[in-house]
Amino acid sequence: MTAPAQPETGPQRPGVLPSQELRALIAQGRISADVPIPAPQVQPASLDLRLGAIAHRVRASFLTGADSTVTERLERFAMHSIDLTQGAVLEKGCVYVIPLQERLDLPADVSAAANAKSSTGRLDLLTRLITDGGEEFDRVDPGYSGPLYAEISPRSFSVLVRPGMRLNQIRLRRGSLAFSDDDLRALHAREPLVDVAPIIDHGLAFSVDLTQRGDQPVGWRAKPHTGLIDLDRIAAYEASEFWEPLFPAPRGGLILDPGAFYILVSRESVAIPPNYAAEMQPYLAMAGEFRVHYAGFFDPGFGHASAGGAGSRGVLEVRCYEAPFALEHGQVVGRLVYEPMAEIPDVLYGADLASNYQGQGLKLAKQFRAP
C-alpha cells in the first residue's frame, strides 16, 4: 500500500528525510557510490549501506577524532586486510573496519545517524558507523562530505560476508527535531502508539514480556560454541544449533548471565504512524547492567494499520555485563524516541516492502528457520 500524499509544505521542512527525498539526494549526487545505488536500498526513513570489497582487521576499536581520517587511523591500528570478493569469514571476538560503498556530501542543514539493521542486531553482530573527523559512533555532522566506514565486531557467531551486503543503515535529518513528552502524549491520544497504558518519560517506555506461554519460550540465549552463519542464506539454519530456548523460573523472571546474549520481546505492541519515525534508546544506566537493542530504527508504518500491521512487538537484543541480573516481567528496559518526518514517505514499512518483521512477536533473525 502506498502512503497517501501529504500536502505541500515546502522543500525545507525540518524532520527525518523520507524515501522520496533520499532518492532526490541520490539523483543530485549528495549520496553517491561507484556502483549505482539500487532501489531496494531506500527504506521509508533510511538508506541501507553496502559493504565494500576489503575488510581491515584492527587490534582495537577507534574513533578518528576531529583532526584525523579513518585511513590515518588504520595505518596505526590495522593488522591485516581481507579480500571479501569471494566471501570471507569475520571471526567472533575480532574487530574489523570495512569501507562502505556509499559516501555523503550532506547539505549544511542535514545531519545523519546510523544503526544496525534488524537482522544484524539479532545476530549480535555489533556494527557501528565511523567517519573522517568523527568524535562519536553512528553520528554524522551536518554538512559532512566524505567516505563512510563500518566497524564490525561479531560477538556471538562468526559470519560469512561479501561485498554489497547491507548490515547497517543511515537516517538523515534536517534541522532540530525537538519532540517533547507532552507532544508524545498528545500523539498517543490522537493515535494510540501502544496497546497498554503508556509510560512516557523522555520517550515511550518499552518493557519486557516474560509471561509463561505454555511450551513456547519467552526468549533465546545464544550458545557459546556454534558453526558459521552465511548472512546471505535465509531460513537456512536450525535455531537449536545456535540458540537455547528460555523459560521463566518458577517464581517468574529470568537471571541474565554476564557476557551472554539474549533475544527477548517487548510487552507492548507498538505502532509507528506514517508521518513519524522512532529510535530505540537505552532507558537509564541505573536500570541494570545490560544493554538493550543493538538495532534501533523503527520506520514509518511499523505495526501500523496503514501498512498492514496491527501492532508489532519490539524484539529486544540484550547483553548482560559485569554481574548476573534478575530481569522481571514488565520491567522497563528501553524507550522509543519518536521524531516527525519531513514528509510522509511514499513507501511504508510492511505492505509496501514485504518487510520481514511486520506483525512480529518473539522472532530470531531471518537466517533461522522458525523453531
Side-chain angles (χ1 to χ4, degrees):
M1 179 184 298
T2 301
Q6 178 169 308
E8 179 63 40
T9 56
Q12 300 303 312
R13 181 177 175 180
V16 174
L17 304 192
S19 46
Q20 60 269 29
E21 193 160 353
L22 295 176
R23 287 192 292 270
L25 291 174
I26 293 170
Q28 297 163 14
R30 294 285 193 172
I31 304 171
S32 61
D34 291 337
V35 178
I37 299 172
Q41 275 186 247
V42 179
Q43 303 297 322
S46 62
L47 177 75
D48 293 346
L49 301 173
R50 297 170 294 176
L51 299 182
I54 299 293
H56 303 281
R57 168 78 165 89
V58 295
R59 57 190 173 93
S61 173
F62 62 81
L63 287 166
T64 53
D67 299 320
S68 186
T69 67
V70 174
T71 298
E72 291 167 346
R73 299 290 273 173
L74 284 172
E75 291 174 357
R76 176 179 176 186
F77 292 109
M79 299 169 65
H80 61 89
S81 299
I82 305 167
D83 185 352
L84 303 183
T85 52
Q86 299 302 313
V89 175
L90 304 186
E91 297 282 355
K92 172 184 171 181
C94 298
V95 183
Y96 303 86
V97 172
I98 301 180
L100 297 170
Q101 295 186 26
E102 289 73 30
R103 60 180 293 122
L104 298 178
D105 181 19
L106 295 179
D109 61 344
V110 173
S111 62
N115 226 308
K117 289 177 63 64
S118 293
S119 293
T120 307
R122 294 178 203 213
L123 292 170
D124 198 17
L125 189 56
L126 182 62
T127 303
R128 303 188 288 194
L129 187 76
I130 52 177
T131 64
D132 291 344
E135 298 183 295
E136 293 182 83
F137 291 112
D138 288 333
R139 294 293 181 265
V140 183
D141 289 337
Y144 174 79
S145 182
L148 303 173
Y149 301 81
E151 179 200 277
I152 300 173
S153 180
R155 307 297 301 277
S156 290
F157 314 115
S158 295
V159 296
L160 182 66
V161 301
R162 301 175 183 85
M165 283 184 170
R166 298 176 284 172
L167 302 188
N168 63 341
Q169 56 194 330
I170 196 165
R171 180 174 281 179
L172 276 60
R173 301 173 171 93
R174 181 185 296 112
S176 176
L177 303 184
F179 196 69
S180 70
D181 283 351
D182 286 341
D183 294 329
L184 192 58
R185 293 185 187 97
L187 175 60
H188 178 76
R190 295 194 306 270
E191 189 165 8
L193 304 176
V194 289
D195 60 345
V196 297
I199 301 172
I200 295 177
D201 180 14
H202 295 87
L204 180 66
F206 247 26
S207 61
V208 64
D209 184 359
L210 298 178
T211 52
Q212 182 67 53
R213 304 179 192 125
D215 61 353
Q216 297 301 305
V218 299
W220 299 89
R221 177 169 51 205
K223 292 184 174 182
H225 308 292
T226 66
L228 178 70
I229 297 174
D230 182 338
L231 299 185
D232 272 341
R233 298 187 64 196
I234 308 303
Y237 299 98
E238 292 288 348
S240 60
E241 295 181 8
F242 295 83
W243 300 92
E244 174 188 355
L246 299 175
F247 300 90
R251 294 185 181 181
L254 291 174
I255 303 294
L256 304 182
D257 295 324
F261 179 73
Y262 299 84
I263 297 292
L264 303 172
V265 70
S266 71
R267 184 173 62 99
E268 300 82 4
S269 289
V270 65
I272 311 296
N275 51 339
Y276 289 87
E279 182 176 358
M280 175 69 84
Q281 296 183 354
Y283 191 61
L284 290 170
M286 67 185 70
E289 291 300 320
F290 56 88
R291 171 180 174 170
V292 175
H293 225 281
Y294 287 44
F297 287 162
F298 286 65
D299 272 345
F302 179 87
H304 197 267
S306 64
S312 293
R313 302 290 188 95
V315 168
L316 307 173
E317 301 130 10
V318 178
R319 176 171 290 279
C320 182
Y321 298 107
E322 302 296 339
F325 186 80
L327 191 63
E328 303 294 340
H329 173 70
Q331 185 166 343
V332 172
V333 294
R335 59 184 178 183
L336 267 184
V337 176
Y338 280 70
E339 300 176 302
M341 297 293 299
E343 295 181 78
I344 292 178
D346 59 3
V347 292
L348 297 176
Y349 187 94
D352 290 342
L353 302 174
S355 305
N356 287 296
Y357 304 117
Q358 183 73 300
Q360 70 181 352
L362 178 66
K363 189 172 183 180
L364 297 172
K366 61 187 178 183
Q367 288 81 7
F368 299 101
R369 289 191 282 272

